Structure formats: C-alpha cells, structure tokens
Amino acid sequence: MSNALTELLAEKGTLLADGATGTNLFAMGLMSGDAPEMWNEDEPEKITALYKGAVDAGSDVFLTNSFGANASRLKLHDAGHRAFELSKISAELARNVADAAGRKVIVAGSVGPTGEIMEPVGELTHANAVEMFHETAAGLKAGGADIGWLETISAPEEYSAAAEGFALAGLPWVGTMSFDTAGRTMMGVTSTNMASLVAGLDNPPAAFGANCGTGASDLLRTLLGFAATGTELPLIAKGNAGIPKYHDGHIHYDGTPELMADYAVLARDCGASIIGGCCGTTPDHLRHMRAALDTRPRQSAPTLEAIVAALGAFSSANDGTGDGETPIRKRRGRRAA
C-alpha cells in the first residue's frame, strides 16, 4: 500500500533516517530518569532543535520524540493518561520542521515497547497492548505523522499487537526489532523468525528491520539474514554508533563519523534501503553517512569478514540461527535503485 515513505523510497531508492533521540537529548540536558516525552511540552525548542539537526544533516526520515509515549511507561511519571496528548505534540513539532525543510521529509512517529511482558510469560494481555499502541498511534496521526515507526521490540506478541494498534488508528507503519543476545532478540527471535512473523501479519509493515542492539557489525549480520529470506519488503538498518563506553560519569559511543559512513554503505550493500543510526548517532555522524550514500557506488553484499574488517568484531559466534557462514541472499523480485 502506498504512503509518503514508500513513495519517497520509490523516488530516491535509498533513504537516510535520523540518529539517536535519547543520547542527543541527554547532551541537551535531559537527566537520567526523566521522561523525554515531557520535553515535547516543557522544552519544545530543544525538541525542535533535535529534529532540525537530523533534517539539516540530510535525513530523509526522522523520528518523533515519542518512544515511551504509552500509558504503561508514562504511568511511571504519573502521566499514563497523557499518551495521546504527548504523542500528538511530538508529531506537531516534527510536522513544522518537515514542512519548513524545503524538500520532502518524512515524519515517522516513534513507538517503543510498552515496558511490560505480555502473556503467557507476563501479565500484559493482548487486548491491553493493542489499546496502548492504538492510543499512541492515534496521537501521532492527529499530530501529522506520515507513518508510524515501531522500534526496539523484542517479543513477537508485542510486534503483532502493535500492528493491530496501527491498523485501528489508520496509520501506515514500519517496524524494527532489537537483536542483542547472540543474534537474537531478548525473547529469542532470529532474523528468519522476524521475516516469517512480518509475512504472516494481517496488517504488515511497509518496511522492517533492526535497530539498536550491540553494534553495527552485529546489526549488519542480522540484515544479511533478513535479505537471505527473499523478502520483498524494504529493509531498515538503524545501528548504534559503535559500542557504549562509560567515561567521566557518562556513556559515550565510540563510533566515529567515518565509521558510521562505512556502516551506512555496507548496510545498503547488505540490502537495506532505509538506513539510519541509533544510540550515539549525532548530526555529524549523519552528515558523513549522507555523503557516503550519495557518493560511494553500490557494491555486492559484503562477506562477514569484510564487515568485521570495516566495523569491528561480532559479539557472538553466529547470528542466532546456528549458521556461521554468510547468509546467501535469495533473488528478490525488485531492487531499489
């Protein structure tokens, strides 16, 4: 189904997404333990600056400051009843930035996990999860988001509930999971499992992929796993800017802008057509990624050895599927330019 994101993707072939939200807001003064979503109301100038930083660096897509804007997470700050409102404000601020960009830029409404564990392992019911995702998605749509962007999900049950929530809100969506435990999500999902999950949804995403995780190398290995399934959907890569290091009381990511430029091109060669950064990724990283994607020619998919040589070692022996070899990409019916 056509939407603003798929239309821009068809036009450009490869899209640059944005960078980090949380780590960039911490650099602006957000304190650990505070709800970033409250800044949509209390510090709108800083949220606007966050958005504008990505757009000015060349991003085609940027995410709203609404990752934790659901009833479950906000109730920790006595604001569980404000999920719709805070989501809407985040998208309104983003819409203003996008509309002033002078080019087509996609506002993607960020939707993170509920923070609860779903049945049968936990206590969160499917119906309640759908209701929470619906409320957030409806707020984002009301504020002007072009598309919903589900991210950092670990459980297939939660991914499926979010798909229903987006459907109820009438908001097209994309969705990523975080693969951070020996090539699997915290709930044991592999790249192959996720591709199968997406293919079986009644309301499938317009694109899917991976974000965050342990490092850029691991994320690209997962990306190769997606591509090997032969999926026809566009793939998303949104990896961290290196590995987090604790220094002088703060967490810093060691990935340089030059490393992230290499990552962006390798992600494209691994099959991704929507490429951005996650934790630690700043506008400076994005500028280098933009330049690399615009100037370096497309190559064949890299080997695992080439990924390690460029970005560093994997954190585990294989990608969670039991196959230590480079996944073989199946021939896809179409290829982005």
Side-chain angles (χ1 to χ4, degrees):
M1 184 177 294
S2 178
N3 56 64
L5 184 138
T6 58
E7 290 170 3
L8 188 61
L9 185 59
E11 175 186 330
K12 301 190 69 171
T14 302
L15 301 181
L16 178 67
D18 64 355
T21 295
T23 50
N24 285 326
L25 291 182
F26 286 134
M28 294 180 182
L30 182 72
M31 301 302 293
S32 179
D34 289 347
E37 296 74 24
M38 295 300 187
W39 270 24
N40 296 329
E41 184 174 63
D42 298 338
E43 300 280 1
E45 297 85 1
K46 291 182 179 179
I47 300 305
T48 296
L50 171 76
Y51 296 158
K52 196 170 184 298
V55 173
D56 289 349
S59 293
D60 301 298
V61 185
F62 69 97
L63 277 59
T64 59
N65 179 40
S66 51
F67 179 84
N70 62 66
S72 177
R73 285 182 176 271
L74 288 175
K75 73 181 180 183
L76 301 176
H77 305 276
D78 297 322
H81 59 290
R82 301 191 65 198
F84 178 96
E85 177 188 9
L86 292 171
S87 297
K88 182 174 181 287
I89 296 171
S90 75
E92 289 172 339
L93 295 172
R95 185 77 266 157
N96 290 337
V97 171
D99 290 346
R103 58 186 172 87
K104 185 63 177 293
V105 179
I106 303 300
V107 174
S110 174
V111 178
T114 63
E116 299 185 38
I117 299 177
M118 292 187 65
E119 293 179 338
V121 178
E123 297 182 355
L124 178 62
T125 67
H126 177 79
N128 286 343
V130 170
E131 181 180 357
M132 278 192 273
F133 284 122
H134 177 203
E135 182 179 28
T136 299
L140 292 167
K141 182 179 180 181
D146 295 301
I147 196 162
W149 188 294
L150 183 70
E151 57 178 335
T152 325
I153 301 297
S154 295
E157 297 85 1
E158 194 163 29
Y159 200 92
S160 298
E164 290 189 34
F166 285 120
L168 290 172
L171 184 67
W173 69 290
V174 303
T176 60
M177 299 184 91
S178 183
F179 297 79
D180 52 13
T181 308
R184 297 171 180 259
T185 73
M186 185 176 66
M187 292 302 183
V189 178
T190 67
S191 56
T192 303
N193 296 151
M194 185 181 183
S196 297
L197 169 68
V198 166
L201 292 172
D202 291 335
N203 178 37
F208 76 96
N211 79 293
C212 204
T214 52
S217 296
D218 286 36
L219 188 139
L220 294 191
R221 184 171 60 180
T222 296
L223 187 61
L224 286 173
F226 294 143
T229 68
T231 178
E232 294 292 325
L233 288 174
L235 297 176
I236 300 169
K238 214 166 187 286
N240 293 339
I243 305 298
K245 309 286 185 181
Y246 190 77
H247 180 69
D248 289 340
H250 299 282
I251 297 294
H252 300 273
Y253 284 78
D254 64 5
T256 64
E258 291 76 16
L259 181 140
M260 289 301 283
D262 291 342
Y263 146 79
V265 172
L266 287 169
R268 181 185 63 190
D269 294 342
C270 286
S273 51
I274 304 172
I275 300 160
C278 205
C279 301
T281 308
T282 68
D284 194 28
H285 291 97
L286 293 173
R287 280 188 285 271
H288 282 73
M289 293 164 68
R290 175 82 276 169
L293 289 171
D294 287 347
T295 60
R296 298 191 202 177
R298 185 185 296 273
Q299 304 288 335
S300 58
T303 63
L304 297 182
E305 292 77 14
I307 291 173
V308 170
L311 304 179
F314 300 117
S315 65
S316 59
N318 61 52
D319 67 352
T321 65
D323 183 0
E325 303 299 321
T326 303
I328 304 299
R329 293 177 60 178
K330 293 184 180 178
R331 198 180 192 97
R332 298 174 71 175
R334 62 178 182 272
R335 178 174 176 144

